[in-house]
Amino acid sequence: MALSITPGEKYGFFTDTSICIGCKACEVACKEWNGLQSDNTVFLADSFDNTGALDAQHWRHVKFIEQVADAPTSVGNGQAWLMMSDVCKHCEHASCMQVCPTGAIIRTEFDSVFIQQDVCNGCRNCISACPYSVIGFSSASGTAHKCTLCYDRLQNNMMPACAQACPTQSIQFGKVDDLRAVAAKRLDAVQAGGAKNAQLYGADDSVYGGLNAFFLLMDKPEAYALPNASNSVLPGRNNLFGYLAALVTAALAVIAGLVALRRRTEPRPAPAAPVTPDEPAEAPDSAERPPAEEPAPARGESRRRRRSS
Amino acid sequence: MPLPLLAEHFARPPDWGVWILLYFFFAGLAGGAYVIATLVRLRGGDGPVARTGYLLAFPCVLLCPIFLTVDLGQPLRFWHMMVNTSPGGLGLNFNTATPMSLGVWALLVFGFFTFVSFLAELGLLPFLRAGVALGTLFALVGSIFGLFIAGYTGVLLSVSNQPVWSDSPVLGGLFLASGMSGAAAAIWLLGGRRGPVAAGDFEGLEVAAAYFAVLELLLLLVFFITVAIAGSLGTALRLPWTLLWLLALIGMVLPLAGLGRRGVAVDRGGAAVLTGNATLVSVVVLVGVLALRAAVIGSAQ
Ligand code: SF4
Ligand code: SF4
């Protein structure tokens, strides 16, 4: 039966890391469908990872996290190899959208977060804001890039390429509410199987108001380099205090300036006799001499000032 | 409830480099120079300090959009900052959540004020000349934008999820104070180069520069405290940025140690002149202003 994708509904991913086998089919499918450049593959000496991170050319990235116990333990306990197919979270409260000055980042009719390539001017403000290090800058296009949730496929009733390619169904695509129900059941099953650290990440609104692409993790978020609930802060949090600090500084600077520049109106004694400065100035220009009512410092005063320093 | 300043960072650096550094530097100088000039005029001064301030602000502002545009990935789309080009998008972009959007508009408005004041200083707009009420009012309004331009660049960095930048809310204040210091030094260098000067004018500037330096030092202290609380002090102070922080510090301390006491001397004819020592201090202050911004921008990325 053909998939029916309805505009106005919330769509996203449920990525179940407990069944990810690290095959990277998602990475390849994403690259193929979206026409992303291939890599100059290098040996990263980081487990099975050879693409490094999400960026302008990698909209899916499989993380390999090796957790090896410090001391020997019994078989099956103490060693873990976490794998996670990472992607843009299509955050409900999206940091990237908050700071984009051109309005290039929009929320689509499927509730995904999308960068309009013909609007983006490559200022890179979104890159400094995305807390998941998702967005990359392409020097080829001069713009910012990230996962589009396969916007073009969605418009044609096709599921995103990564979800379609995933052989273990670690990546599931669907309506976010449906996926949340599936995820809750799966979490119960995984925990019942003994994985006590397993938890859902982004399925509720504790992280950036909820993530349309959320995860079942086998450890705490920090183990996967993901901000936890108390760290999920938006860049705009610093607007108020940032401007307030600048305002207070501005007020103090203006007062300081007004007080300091008042000095010039204080009467000073007229010059008693000429004196040579330590460092000779250029030839005097009589047209620019101080007016009579503003006499220059007296000889003695000037000498005192230099000696005391 | 989480502490607003405590954040673990996983954000990628935006690779803002030399163009943004130059923009921040000249924006600080432009805003500072305009405000100092206005303050001098408010106190009744009509000497080279105010004149130099107004003449300096406009060329500095003129450089700003050039640096900003060159830094863009798509320079020819610089106008997308102001005009919403999304299909069905309405009119102008004005995103109050990001200082980048507000800053572009403020730069445009401030550019207008600096241009008009520049013309007035050249004697082309007599109705705005010094001492005329309309001119004072015009400069006062322009100074509000000047203060904004000098400081918002710091707020722009804070409004991110980058380490160091987003760990302190005082970057805007710090950049503003440093912009005022830098502008005082630049006015000193440019306004005092041509022999005799109005001594009172420049003595006032010496003292103002010292006050601005005190403000900078206080804000730098608060900056380091807030960054330390967030756990990013190590990132901020790592090499080679330590050296730039030191340069910035020297640029803040020198006006307190030297500029305020050595700036003005008297020549054979009894006219006030600026000493070479003060000139040197001014150069160091300007280098410090640049180093501060380079340290902030670079250490976080
Ligand atoms: S993960 Fe990053 S790029 Fe994706 S929506 Fe959230 S803030 Fe934006
Ligand atoms: S780089 Fe593009 S998408 Fe990102 S903030 Fe700038 S204009 Fe918006």
Side-chain angles (χ1 to χ4, degrees):
Chain A
M1 195 179 80
L3 192 64
S4 170
I5 298 173
T6 320
E9 300 269 10
K10 264 188 188 195
Y11 288 90
F13 294 123
F14 164 44
T15 305
D16 179 354
T17 68
S18 71
I19 49 172
C20 175
I21 55 172
C23 68
K24 303 184 198 173
C26 52
E27 285 192 19
V28 176
C30 176
K31 271 189 179 271
E32 274 193 7
W33 179 262
N34 292 297
L36 302 177
Q37 281 175 14
S38 62
D39 302 287
N40 292 325
T41 308
V42 287
F43 176 57
L44 296 175
D46 183 13
S47 196
F48 269 49
D49 192 354
N50 64 349
T51 51
L54 292 168
D55 59 27
Q57 301 302 334
H58 302 95
W59 298 352
R60 272 273 176 191
H61 168 244
V62 181
K63 288 182 179 178
F64 294 84
I65 299 143
E66 293 181 9
Q67 295 180 327
V68 181
D70 292 334
T73 57
S74 56
V75 175
N77 288 307
Q79 288 201 0
W81 196 11
L82 307 181
M83 283 158 252
M84 172 207 180
S85 178
D86 199 8
V87 70
C88 169
K89 319 296 180 288
H90 298 279
C91 313
E92 196 55 43
H93 299 155
S95 302
C96 58
M97 262 182 94
Q98 189 180 57
V99 302
C100 177
T102 63
I105 305 183
I106 55 163
R107 199 168 284 284
T108 70
E109 64 272 36
F110 307 111
D111 208 49
S112 58
V113 176
F114 179 78
I115 302 178
Q116 302 175 93
Q117 288 303 308
D118 54 343
V119 179
C120 171
N121 67 7
C123 72
R124 312 190 293 292
N125 211 19
C126 53
I127 296 177
S128 85
C130 170
Y132 295 105
S133 201
V134 161
I135 305 178
F137 175 74
S138 161
S139 45
S141 67
T143 54
H145 294 264
K146 71 167 192 73
C147 160
T148 64
L149 200 73
C150 283
Y151 190 28
D152 50 350
R153 290 174 67 99
L154 263 50
Q155 287 169 322
N156 290 285
N157 290 314
M158 296 160 76
M159 76 163 70
C162 55
Q164 180 144 5
C166 179
T168 65
Q169 295 195 349
S170 169
I171 301 171
Q172 295 178 44
F173 169 79
K175 288 184 186 161
V176 172
D177 286 341
D178 296 348
L179 292 174
R180 283 180 180 160
V182 171
K185 276 193 194 145
R186 175 66 188 156
L187 178 67
D188 288 345
V190 171
Q191 285 184 335
K196 296 295 176 205
N197 285 337
Q199 55 191 278
L200 294 182
Y201 179 77
D204 61 17
D205 62 3
S206 61
V207 179
Y208 291 108
L211 309 177
N212 284 355
F214 63 94
F215 299 81
L216 189 157
L217 303 178
M218 300 303 285
D219 202 344
K220 55 188 185 308
E222 297 89 310
Y224 295 84
L226 299 169
N228 59 28
S230 64
N231 273 325
S232 68
V233 284
L234 286 160
R237 72 191 181 282
N238 280 332
N239 265 320
L240 178 64
F241 288 111
Y243 283 125
L244 211 58
L247 189 68
V248 171
T249 308
L252 290 174
V254 166
I255 293 168
L258 286 173
V259 170
L261 296 163
R262 189 173 52 182
R263 290 225 167 171
R264 69 176 300 285
T265 62
E266 287 173 7
R268 280 185 302 276
V275 67
T276 310
D278 289 345
E279 294 82 5
E282 293 170 27
D285 173 359
S286 58
E288 292 197 1
R289 292 193 175 199
E293 65 276 16
E294 287 181 19
R299 170 188 181 180
E301 182 192 340
S302 173
R303 276 186 172 161
R304 269 196 306 281
R305 203 164 42 225
R306 286 199 296 274
R307 278 198 195 115
S308 65
S309 55
Chain B
M1 199 179 111
L3 285 173
L5 288 179
L6 282 175
E8 203 173 347
H9 304 280
F10 304 105
R12 162 176 296 133
D15 287 335
W16 286 335
V18 68
W19 299 121
I20 295 298
L21 170 64
L22 288 173
Y23 167 57
F24 284 11
F25 178 71
F26 282 102
L29 288 194
Y34 196 92
V35 173
I36 289 174
T38 305
L39 293 176
V40 170
R41 288 272 159 88
L42 274 180
R43 301 304 299 167
D46 196 18
V49 169
R51 185 174 163 75
T52 308
Y54 287 129
L55 291 180
L56 176 66
F58 177 59
C60 286
V61 166
L62 217 50
L63 291 171
C64 291
I66 297 173
F67 295 136
L68 276 182
T69 302
V70 172
D71 180 72
L72 294 175
Q74 284 276 357
L76 294 180
R77 295 186 190 164
F78 68 92
W79 58 281
H80 288 200
M81 292 282 189
M82 290 169 280
V83 180
N84 188 348
T85 59
S86 299
L90 282 179
L92 304 176
N93 279 322
F94 195 75
N95 180 355
T96 53
T98 171
M100 190 178 276
S101 183
L102 296 185
V104 165
W105 287 108
L107 195 60
L108 195 73
V109 176
F110 185 53
F112 166 75
F113 277 95
T114 55
F115 177 57
V116 171
S117 295
F118 183 83
L119 294 183
E121 219 45 55
L122 294 179
L124 298 174
L125 304 171
F127 56 96
L128 288 178
R129 70 178 186 275
V132 176
L134 185 62
T136 308
L137 185 68
F138 185 84
L140 272 176
V141 178
S143 292
I144 294 170
F145 287 95
L147 287 165
F148 184 88
I149 287 298
Y152 95 92
T153 50
V155 186
L156 166 65
L157 295 182
S158 289
V159 178
S160 70
N161 273 319
Q162 295 292 314
V164 183
W165 299 350
S166 64
D167 291 332
S168 176
V170 300
L171 268 181
L174 181 60
F175 279 14
L176 194 151
S178 138
M180 299 293 286
S181 279
I187 290 173
W188 190 279
L189 279 175
L190 298 173
R193 278 186 55 204
R194 296 193 302 135
V197 296
D201 240 19
F202 278 84
E203 283 177 358
L205 192 63
E206 287 174 342
V207 181
Y211 287 166
F212 298 148
V214 170
L215 209 50
E216 261 190 290
L217 279 167
L218 284 175
L219 285 159
L220 188 67
L221 185 68
V222 178
F223 170 75
F224 280 131
I225 291 172
T226 47
V227 166
I229 290 172
S232 302
L233 193 60
T235 309
L237 291 180
R238 73 203 150 101
L239 280 169
W241 310 109
T242 326
L243 304 174
L244 290 180
W245 287 116
L246 272 176
L247 259 182
L249 199 63
I250 292 169
M252 294 177 203
V253 172
L254 273 194
L256 300 174
L259 191 60
R261 285 180 288 157
R262 293 189 176 186
V264 183
V266 180
D267 76 356
R268 283 184 187 285
V273 292
L274 306 182
T275 67
N277 178 60
T279 302
L280 182 68
V281 171
S282 299
V283 172
V284 175
V285 169
L286 281 170
V287 171
V289 169
L290 195 63
L292 173 75
R293 284 156 175 76
V296 171
I297 294 172
S299 65
Q301 298 194 79

